[in-house]
Amino acid sequence: MGQGKVGALSADSPLSLLLDGETSPTTFHVLRSLTPFTKSQIYLVQPGTHTAFPDQLILKVYDPRFSNGRSERVDYQWSLPVESQAAQMRAQDDSWEDIPLHNLWTQVMLCEERPEPWLWEHYLFRWQWRSFKAEVEAYKRLVQLQGRGIPKFYGFGKLLPTPSGLRAIDPPAVLVEYIPGVTLSNINPKKVLPRLYRPLIPTVATFEKCGVLHRDICNPTNIMFTPREAPKRAVIIDFGSSVTRDDRKLDQEWAEDVDEADDMASLRLILQRKLRVKLDVSEFMVNVATLSTTDSQESDRDRTEVVDTTDDGMEALRLSLERKLAVDLDDSDSAISLGAVDG
């Protein structure tokens, strides 16, 4: 597949993806790699044999061989024999998914003795597998938002290595809509009028209603605006860190998860910080039972209060306090005089 050490496939490299529910693989051609890679490896691809797909899609591959998690233990290098041993251990234990991921992390990172190489390889596989499963489940539950507040989801499957025999696993992968736009990190704030960002509020409120917590909205690269030059749509991407509610979770337990993730507060604070505006907390108090499209149809309002970003450390402290205490703090509130503190 023309894959280098960092996992990047060269342009026009063919790859085969066996989609869930199909018996024969679908061929795609890599147009370019979206680097740097983090948990997953992201490619802009063009379908070669499947007419039901659009001309361009995003392929996210969850391959532990090229995960950025490897940087945590540089003393372990990938090798086919070690990957094979880890795969064999999983094949012999049907309960491998039941072991909490943080337990594995403790074994490989905090153990006094150097862990077996196969255990480190298994941990990286589990880390990737968890993100893949989270992404698929979130998109399945959020069908009503696809193509609007989140990308369209076109399916999932496994990447088949060519030639065969080069890997002990078939890395899982998902296909989602390609959003040609700009992230919240890089957009000119003057282009983001209220009518553009307000639809994000009912979008995030619907997450909770559908039993999904994104948990990484505070990352400005996970909010995109499209098209790049004259944005008309705001989209939340990347559900690899999300969690979904299962049938066994009690209402109180889920309420605690919602409070901890606090997606709505994260949305308000990251918009406020990156767009340099002061946003009314009441706008983000959405009753998920009465969601409507009226939020996206409101007329633009002037944004008057500019957030002071001259002191990044103090701003970060203020934003953290606002999120945890559910209050608005002005600059005078956060200007703490150390000399006034009684030792």
Side-chain angles (χ1 to χ4, degrees):
M1 291 188 292
Q3 203 158 23
K5 290 184 178 180
V6 296
L9 294 166
S10 57
D12 205 36
S13 295
L15 54 84
S16 295
L17 184 68
L18 183 60
L19 292 165
D20 183 63
E22 297 194 3
T23 56
S24 57
T26 300
T27 300
F28 294 88
H29 293 275
V30 175
L31 299 178
R32 62 187 175 96
S33 303
L34 279 64
T35 54
F37 295 145
T38 53
K39 285 184 183 179
S40 59
Q41 302 84 54
I42 304 177
Y43 304 101
L44 179 63
V45 299
Q46 186 174 49
T49 60
H50 205 303
T51 57
F53 290 135
D55 289 340
Q56 295 183 353
L57 302 100
I58 289 295
L59 176 69
K60 297 184 68 174
V61 182
Y62 297 86
D63 190 343
R65 180 178 179 181
F66 304 108
S67 166
N68 66 344
R70 288 197 174 273
S71 62
E72 296 182 52
R73 292 296 300 260
V74 295
D75 50 330
Y76 288 97
Q77 299 295 321
W78 179 90
S79 71
L80 181 57
V82 173
E83 183 177 80
S84 299
Q85 185 179 6
Q88 290 171 4
M89 297 298 291
R90 287 191 294 273
Q92 296 170 8
D93 183 6
D94 294 336
S95 63
W96 61 268
E97 282 194 78
D98 298 332
I99 300 175
L101 191 55
H102 69 266
N103 287 8
L104 274 179
W105 182 87
T106 300
Q107 284 183 268
V108 299
M109 299 301 293
L110 302 182
C111 182
E112 293 183 2
E113 297 182 0
R114 190 175 188 270
E116 292 289 334
W118 73 265
L119 185 60
W120 170 246
E121 197 65 39
H122 173 61
Y123 163 72
L124 290 177
F125 176 87
R126 279 289 312 277
W127 190 47
Q128 297 279 284
W129 184 254
R130 185 252 171 244
S131 295
F132 162 71
K133 298 278 282 187
E135 193 110 36
V136 171
E137 184 61 27
Y139 275 110
K140 285 182 176 180
R141 295 195 183 200
L142 300 175
V143 173
Q144 67 196 86
L145 294 176
Q146 291 184 29
R148 299 186 294 122
I150 68 173
K152 291 181 180 179
F153 180 68
Y154 289 99
F156 65 95
K158 54 185 180 180
L159 190 65
L160 303 181
T162 53
S164 60
L166 295 179
R167 300 293 300 275
I169 64 170
D170 297 324
V174 299
L175 283 169
V176 297
E177 176 188 4
Y178 171 48
I179 308 292
V182 58
T183 68
L184 179 60
S185 294
N186 299 321
I187 197 169
N188 181 347
K190 294 180 180 179
K191 291 185 177 182
V192 187
L193 299 176
R195 65 182 176 189
L196 181 59
Y197 69 72
R198 279 205 193 109
L200 292 172
I201 300 173
T203 292
V204 172
T206 303
F207 291 174
E208 179 186 339
K209 180 183 178 182
C210 295
V212 176
L213 300 177
H214 188 282
R215 300 202 309 170
D216 200 20
I217 293 177
C218 56
N219 183 345
T221 63
N222 286 336
I223 298 177
M224 295 197 67
F225 301 94
T226 186
R228 175 181 291 271
E229 297 303 324
K232 297 180 180 179
R233 175 187 170 199
V235 185
I236 295 176
I237 64 172
D238 193 355
F239 289 85
S241 297
S242 67
V243 295
T244 52
R245 181 178 183 178
D246 60 38
D247 296 335
R248 297 168 296 177
K249 181 149 290 190
L250 301 176
D251 289 345
Q252 179 60 35
E253 293 175 324
W254 178 245
E256 292 173 357
D257 290 345
V258 171
D259 288 342
E260 181 180 356
D262 212 351
D263 282 346
M264 192 64 77
S266 295
L267 174 66
R268 181 177 69 86
L269 294 176
I270 197 62
L271 288 175
Q272 184 169 267
R273 181 176 182 181
K274 290 299 181 179
L275 301 182
R276 300 181 181 181
V277 296
K278 193 72 172 180
L279 300 175
D280 188 349
V281 176
S282 63
E283 273 196 277
F284 292 78
M285 294 180 178
V286 179
N287 183 347
V288 297
T290 58
L291 289 177
S292 69
T293 59
T294 56
D295 297 279
S296 61
Q297 298 171 349
E298 294 181 10
S299 60
D300 291 342
R301 295 186 301 183
D302 292 335
R303 297 175 295 180
T304 56
E305 296 187 60
V306 178
V307 175
D308 181 10
T309 58
T310 57
D311 187 339
D312 290 340
M314 186 58 72
E315 181 195 13
L317 172 62
R318 186 170 71 249
L319 293 180
S320 177
L321 288 172
E322 284 184 345
R323 176 178 174 180
K324 294 300 182 183
L325 301 179
V327 297
D328 271 332
L329 303 175
D330 60 28
D331 291 337
S332 61
D333 290 326
S334 55
I336 302 172
S337 172
L338 295 180
V341 177
D342 186 357

